């Protein structure tokens, strides 16, 4: 099983950068994951306490009581670097970087933190419509 298959086999995910804008992947990805049977939590400090695309939204990963298997990052690289730190602090090693969320600095940081990373594919595209 390759890294993508391994991550996709895990069922409890955080979408970091969840958005109420229905045209953005921060909205589309959580919905598609729920359609495929995933348990999804959203993180976006701006919308803490709200429900977006069917998921509860938290200000940070540490606020989520459940153990998280993977984080799907949908924020820009400057924010993504901090998300990696937060993942490490919360003992989450599986990170999926959506297109446009990573740069060399992000990939180097992930390697330094010894995180498992997928950065060459899109969860939304892989799962496809149900």
């Amino acid at each position: 099983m390759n890294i993508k298959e391994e991550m996709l086999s895990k069922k409890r995910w955080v979408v970091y950068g969840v958005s109420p804008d229905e045209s953005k992947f921060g909205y589309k990805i959580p919905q598609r994951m729920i359609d495929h049977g995933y348990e999804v939590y959203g993180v976006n400090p701006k919308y803490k306490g709200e429900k977006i695309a069917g998921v509860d939204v938290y200000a940070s990963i540490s606020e989520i009581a459940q153990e998280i298997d993977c984080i799907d990052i949908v924020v820009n690289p400057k924010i993504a670097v901090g998300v990696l730190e937060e993942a490490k602090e919360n003992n989450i090693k599986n990170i999926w970087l959506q297109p446009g969320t990573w740069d060399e600095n992000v990939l180097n940081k992930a390697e330094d933190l010894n995180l498992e990373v997928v950065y060459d594919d899109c969860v939304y595209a892989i799962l496809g419509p149900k």
Side-chain angles (χ1 to χ4, degrees), residues 5-92:
E5 292 168 336
E6 188 179 320
M7 280 194 205
L8 290 170
S9 73
K10 298 178 183 300
K11 291 298 180 184
R12 196 172 289 144
W13 286 60
V14 160
V15 175
Y16 203 107
V18 69
S19 169
D21 183 339
E22 295 181 19
S23 70
K24 294 192 175 207
F25 285 103
Y27 184 88
K28 294 176 182 180
I29 290 170
Q31 278 196 319
R32 181 150 294 173
M33 293 189 85
I34 289 168
D35 288 348
H36 284 269
Y38 290 87
E39 184 177 332
V40 184
Y41 300 88
V43 172
N44 187 329
K46 203 188 304 186
Y47 303 108
K48 176 186 176 174
E50 295 183 30
K51 200 167 192 91
I52 295 175
V55 302
D56 292 323
V57 182
Y58 298 85
S60 68
I61 294 166
S62 61
E63 292 180 4
I64 301 168
Q66 302 299 321
E67 188 174 313
I68 301 300
D69 298 318
C70 299
I71 301 172
D72 186 34
I73 297 178
V74 294
V75 294
N76 71 54
K78 288 179 184 152
I79 298 171
V81 170
V83 177
L84 298 177
E85 293 274 1
E86 196 176 343
K88 186 70 173 182
E89 289 167 14
N90 287 279
N91 299 312
I92 302 166

Side-chain angles (χ1 to χ4, degrees), residues 73 80-81 84-85 88 93 95 97 103-119:
I73 297 178
V81 170
L84 298 177
E85 293 274 1
K88 186 70 173 182
K93 66 174 183 134
I95 309 295
L97 295 160
D103 58 17
E104 196 126 346
N105 188 34
V106 172
L107 297 180
N108 289 337
K109 183 67 166 180
E111 188 175 336
D112 291 346
L113 294 173
N114 201 26
L115 300 171
E116 296 287 335
V117 177
V118 171
Y119 62 92

Side-chain angles (χ1 to χ4, degrees), residues 8 13 29 32-33 72 96 98 121-128:
L8 290 170
W13 286 60
I29 290 170
R32 181 150 294 173
M33 293 189 85
D72 186 34
W96 196 296
Q98 290 295 128
D121 219 331
C122 173
V123 168
Y124 185 80
I126 287 177
L127 292 178

